[in-house]
Amino acid sequence: MMVANDLVEISLRDGDVEVNLRRPTATAGEAVTARPASPNPTGEAGAVASSAEAPAADEQEVDHVEIKSPMVGTFYASPDPDSPQFVQVGSSVNPNTVVCIVEAMKVFNEIKAELSGTVQKILVKNEQPIEYGQPLFLVRPE
Amino acid sequence: MMVANDLVEISLRDGDVEVNLRRPTATAGEAVTARPASPNPTGEAGAVASSAEAPAADEQEVDHVEIKSPMVGTFYASPDPDSPQFVQVGSSVNPNTVVCIVEAMKVFNEIKAELSGTVQKILVKNEQPIEYGQPLFLVRPE
Amino acid sequence: MFRRILIANRGEIALRILRACHELQIETVCVFSEEDRGAVYLNLADRTICIGGPFPRDSYLKSDRIIAAAEVTGADAIHPGYGFLAENAAFAEKCRACKIEFIGPGADAMRLLGDKASARALAKKTKIPTVPGSDGVFENDSEALRIAERTGFPLMIKATAGGGGRGMRIVHDKTDLLTAIKQAQQEAQGAFKSTDLYIEKYLERPRHVEVQIMADHDGTVVHLGERDCTLQRRYQKLVEESPSPAIDGRTRKDLCAAAVKLARAAKYTSAGTVEFLVNSKGKFYFMEVNTRIQVEHPVTEMTTGIDLIKMQIRIAAGESLDINQRSIRPRGHAIECRVNAEDPEAKFRPCAGRIEQFHPPGGFGVRVETYGHEGCRVSPRYDSLLAKVIVHQPTRPEAIRCMQRCLHEFTIEPIKTTLPFLHKVISHPNFVAGTVDTGFVERTF
Amino acid sequence: MFRRILIANRGEIALRILRACHELQIETVCVFSEEDRGAVYLNLADRTICIGGPFPRDSYLKSDRIIAAAEVTGADAIHPGYGFLAENAAFAEKCRACKIEFIGPGADAMRLLGDKASARALAKKTKIPTVPGSDGVFENDSEALRIAERTGFPLMIKATAGGGGRGMRIVHDKTDLLTAIKQAQQEAQGAFKSTDLYIEKYLERPRHVEVQIMADHDGTVVHLGERDCTLQRRYQKLVEESPSPAIDGRTRKDLCAAAVKLARAAKYTSAGTVEFLVNSKGKFYFMEVNTRIQVEHPVTEMTTGIDLIKMQIRIAAGESLDINQRSIRPRGHAIECRVNAEDPEAKFRPCAGRIEQFHPPGGFGVRVETYGHEGCRVSPRYDSLLAKVIVHQPTRPEAIRCMQRCLHEFTIEPIKTTLPFLHKVISHPNFVAGTVDTGFVERTF
């Protein structure tokens, strides 16, 4: 599932102009950890309480698999603002299905499902900044 | 058991000359905690591991009672070097029996048993420096 | 030099003295109460000795037990720290009578300067300004008028038995004086069954500025600059800093010279502090002397780079000061905050218990003096001072920023502390501007 | 000034930079690897972002991910700390191409000074002494003889492919030169299949002395005194101090002037260190430049009272130095010991695991830089540096005593550390006398 890595980062180097999306500076930082409001952050409790805290296996049924981000960047659910999303809840995917784009340093990287199954949940919002290893989709494998 | 306190400290203020014992500078410090030899004293383990660690209830039978020192000073088992000890193992004591002298600031304080019973064990050596609350005798009460 | 020092104190100051002794290669004996048995700072002592029960009166205040402990452990000097027996001249005398050096001033100087009336008299004699007033009770209206003229307005009428503001009047003008005296008398009679009144100049919004002095047995007396301790709550210092943001170079020079003069007049030795009130015009008045090392001494250590405890021990051992006034060059700005185990949201009720999380701040220019650590027990029996955070930076604004960072960074759980309160206080525009007075905290928070 | 800085590092230096940013009121983003998830120092960052797996090559060395992290979090500058990408000129260029400032020198100066050959050439050009020798391979015996005459004896014959002492000969006299060359050639041929040799002056028992410099974009270059880092083990520094106990005032002045001259010649900006070898007669030779902040920078911070990280950030933001050479007045003596999570009784094998007990030392003149705390995990994946203990005292003997006290007081359990080893090293009569050289630790312990 994590085989998509550095090589993916150059796959769409020419797609920059075509996709033509602005960098989402306004929403920058949403995915990353907010500082505790208290002046005394408590050691254990305050640690990295981000949406990326993820592998919350307890809450998921065992037959769900996460598609995680293999890089740091900005999440795009569709190839451009006027197009439909790559996948919706209920979409069927196979290992080669592109599920989203992660933009990093102006490079638009297609992320593939790497497995066959049905999308159960989309865990991040369009244009959201995401960190390495952050779960993006829940998929029920075939 | 701990009723012997400040009042005892002046009971023999005049006895200074009569008893005529030298202060035991050579043995000073025996009763108090030695510093851990390790360059890194460990927090819990190294803490005050002195002979005064005492209240070791586990090792004592429940029918033993400790006579504890009500002050800081030097322990004397007998009234002077040529006299017999106040009490021996096996001696019977009653609440008014003097069991030892504790010298503090040149004042020789008689320590009384404060209970009736039989001396089972003498826990400190003659002329040994002792701290507050340090167990001196084990007594089996009547 | 001493061979073995007994430390007659507990907590952070015991730890502070232990460290100084280690560096001087002097053996240490630390006394402890049954309440403090097992405290981790005791691990740093060569020897420890239990001297009594949890209450101070049964242990840390029991002078005979402490001297006996020094005798049986072969200690040749006692360091009293602050509080407990530190300013007890009789204890100092008793130690010395037993051939154990008391690390502090001579008993005579302690008595002379420790008593407010005799200290004030000595200050007057040596031409150091004291708060003007009636030097005791006035007898009748005409005497009051005469003293009032001499003292100047505004002034205060105070009942000798007074307290909590009762029997007290501020008088701004001569025409109000007799009326105010009548009212104060009535109030004092009702509250304290006494109509004895005295007159004292009213200092508007004074600051508390004190001078650290150090004197050896050769008669050398130096000052190490001043500390501004204006931020107080119920006469308890909260924040101390050096240099004072409220006095100019001229006032500083006069203030420090006055402190040295008083110490010389009292034939003082060891570390001491001369406290002054400074009014809004920069005029200062002698208040009192503390004949001991103070809680806030690290502020001065940070600016001068001089270890006051080591120096105090060396002086007690008969060494001459190895510094002179010219070689003392304070640098930068230092601030100390006292972190107390108190709940600022519950009237500063002391908090006790086990510390589960403890992450003190650190880094450039930061020093934390504390006996605290994870797993440490905070006792309800003793002073609530848990930690002192001291910062040292090139300038006052940087020192305030650094202190804000430190108070923010300091994590203590689950015990309530004054950390958030201190953060508010030092971030207040008036503190930042350096315009607070001794009543500021109570008026503002 | 920057609005938000991304910290591209971990552990104690990440914490150090976080604290500096807080005091400058700059927001912080701290990257972390999956191995460092949950580390307590990350709590002090305004934001944190995971950039990859545990191995440095998958995270802290992944320049594209770090720049992407800066972009998505809106950071306008990156502080690289030391190690990882700190001396990577290509990374610095890439950051700046993405309109993110790299907090460090310009890429050209990094390349020029980072390469040993070009740095040596620049030093020669600016008349800074370098270790004399053949400037590369010599061709034949007569060339070797000529170079040897110029270099002077004793000198070393070294194989370019050499290592572990093979293909190396110390020659004390001209008459032994040709024999030594033959032996070295044979050895080198056997070991490395190459007979290429070069000549370098043999420095007997050299000391490692380095100069801290700081330079802004206006061309102002200052030095902040030297650090003596002679105590090393396998080229890893163990103990650093300032001032150096082995150079006199004249040598110090020349050394510092040389460092400033070299930095000027390279149009250097930001913090940097120029390293020299100093022989037993006080003659110094340029060795190399470190184009970053160094592990031992707190030593200089203690003596000068200047926060080097804050200054580095201000310079990167385009500010001019607010100090000049005359205003920098080092005071007292500072020593740093590096406490590594290594077992000195098992060939300094790195130790990892959970820290159960952690009581760092404190008190007057003591600073501890560490990410450690009770409950903290020490990872086997990264550098074993666990804590830096830095002391500052009026004199060197006092600093050594204070450091002994600190190393004794520091409790770390159950992980093995170099604490007892460091205590032995700094207590050795040769260190106390200030007569050690770079080979001392390996010869003695």
Side-chain angles (χ1 to χ4, degrees), chain B residues 21-99:
Chain B
L21 284 166
R22 280 191 306 280
R23 281 187 55 230
T25 42
T27 59
E30 261 178 20
V32 292
T33 311
R35 183 171 200 176
S38 147
N40 302 317
T42 58
E44 312 296 308
V48 199
S50 76
S51 58
E53 212 173 36
D58 299 348
E59 296 173 25
Q60 298 155 26
E61 292 166 38
V62 269
D63 56 353
H64 284 177
V65 170
E66 291 170 342
I67 299 177
K68 293 182 184 177
S69 175
M71 65 187 65
V72 176
T74 304
F75 174 90
Y76 292 108
S78 55
D80 64 76
D82 303 325
S83 303
Q85 288 183 204
F86 290 108
V87 292
Q88 309 266 6
V89 171
S91 298
S92 287
V93 294
N94 65 51
N96 281 317
T97 307
V98 173
V99 291

Side-chain angles (χ1 to χ4, degrees), chain D residues 5-182:
Chain D
I5 288 176
L6 180 134
I7 296 158
N9 216 301
R10 63 177 302 282
E12 72 90 15
I13 191 65
L15 178 55
R16 171 74 189 88
I17 300 163
L18 279 166
R19 286 169 167 161
C21 290
H22 279 223
E23 292 181 21
L24 292 170
Q25 297 181 280
I26 298 167
E27 290 178 33
T28 50
V29 180
C30 198
V31 304
F32 65 95
S33 71
E34 290 185 319
E35 180 81 355
D36 284 328
R37 185 183 294 278
V40 165
Y41 68 85
L42 292 171
N43 291 343
L44 297 179
D46 294 298
R47 296 166 172 203
T48 62
I49 183 163
C50 182
I51 53 165
F55 289 104
R57 65 171 182 271
D58 295 330
S59 48
Y60 298 110
L61 286 170
K62 249 187 155 44
S63 55
D64 283 0
R65 290 228 188 115
I66 289 168
I67 294 173
E71 290 191 334
V72 299
T73 57
D76 46 4
I78 291 179
H79 198 304
Y82 53 69
F84 297 135
L85 298 166
E87 291 182 281
N88 185 326
F91 176 67
E93 268 172 345
K94 216 191 279 186
C95 288
R96 289 171 184 142
C98 294
K99 306 267 181 260
I100 297 166
E101 183 54 24
F102 172 86
I103 299 174
D108 290 347
M110 283 172 85
R111 285 206 176 86
L112 177 60
L113 296 177
D115 177 82
K116 286 205 187 195
S118 63
R120 182 181 157 99
L122 183 66
K124 285 192 120 175
K125 202 176 130 195
T126 50
K127 310 251 184 289
I128 294 167
T130 54
V131 181
S134 58
D135 266 335
V137 175
F138 58 82
E139 296 296 326
N140 50 45
D141 284 359
S142 65
E143 193 188 346
L145 270 166
R146 205 172 59 243
I147 292 165
E149 298 258 12
R150 200 185 60 209
T151 304
F153 293 88
L155 55 74
M156 294 177 83
I157 309 288
K158 285 181 169 179
T160 51
R166 281 183 300 182
M168 200 176 94
R169 283 288 178 286
I170 299 173
V171 184
H172 289 274
D173 195 279
K174 190 180 165 183
T175 55
D176 300 333
L177 184 70
L178 298 183
T179 321
I181 289 175
K182 269 202 195 74

Side-chain angles (χ1 to χ4, degrees), chain C residues 98-283:
Chain C
C98 295
K99 306 266 183 259
I100 297 166
E101 183 53 24
F102 172 85
I103 299 174
D108 289 345
M110 281 172 88
R111 284 205 177 87
L112 176 62
L113 295 177
D115 177 81
K116 285 204 187 194
S118 61
R120 182 182 157 97
L122 183 66
K124 285 192 120 175
K125 201 176 131 195
T126 49
K127 310 253 186 289
I128 294 166
T130 54
V131 181
S134 58
D135 266 335
V137 175
F138 58 83
E139 296 296 326
N140 50 45
D141 285 357
S142 65
E143 192 188 348
L145 270 166
R146 205 171 57 245
I147 293 164
E149 297 259 11
R150 199 185 61 209
T151 305
F153 294 88
L155 55 75
M156 294 176 84
I157 309 286
K158 284 181 171 179
T160 51
R166 280 182 300 178
M168 198 177 95
R169 284 288 178 287
I170 299 172
V171 185
H172 289 275
D173 195 281
K174 191 181 164 183
T175 56
D176 301 332
L177 184 69
L178 299 183
T179 321
I181 288 175
K182 271 202 196 75
Q183 290 172 341
Q185 274 174 336
Q186 280 164 14
E187 216 171 274
Q189 178 64 35
F192 320 113
K193 313 288 175 217
S194 155
T195 58
D196 283 356
L197 300 178
Y198 65 100
I199 288 173
E200 201 177 80
K201 187 166 178 67
Y202 175 67
L203 299 181
E204 282 181 275
R205 310 213 156 184
R207 294 186 72 102
H208 173 121
V209 182
E210 61 189 28
V211 178
Q212 175 70 53
I213 55 149
M214 194 62 87
D216 67 15
H217 290 92
D218 303 337
T220 305
V221 184
V222 296
H223 71 81
L224 292 97
E226 84 282 8
R227 292 185 292 261
D228 191 313
C229 313
T230 300
L231 278 187
Q232 307 182 353
R233 192 188 153 274
R234 303 195 170 195
Y235 303 104
Q236 295 299 306
K237 294 168 186 167
L238 299 170
V239 177
E240 302 99 349
E241 61 182 313
S242 185
S244 168
I247 60 175
D248 58 18
R250 176 64 189 272
T251 306
R252 174 170 297 116
K253 212 180 144 205
D254 293 347
L255 199 68
C256 293
V260 168
K261 196 161 66 172
L262 189 71
R264 279 221 176 86
K267 299 201 193 318
Y268 194 82
T269 51
S270 188
T273 303
V274 185
E275 297 190 333
F276 298 90
L277 286 176
V278 181
N279 75 10
S280 52
K281 290 174 189 74
K283 193 156 163 42

Side-chain angles (χ1 to χ4, degrees), chain C residues 406-420:
Chain C
C406 286
L407 297 177
H408 189 281
E409 186 177 326
F410 205 160
T411 304
I412 305 173
E413 295 290 348
I415 291 198
K416 298 267 188 232
T417 71
T418 50
L419 280 167

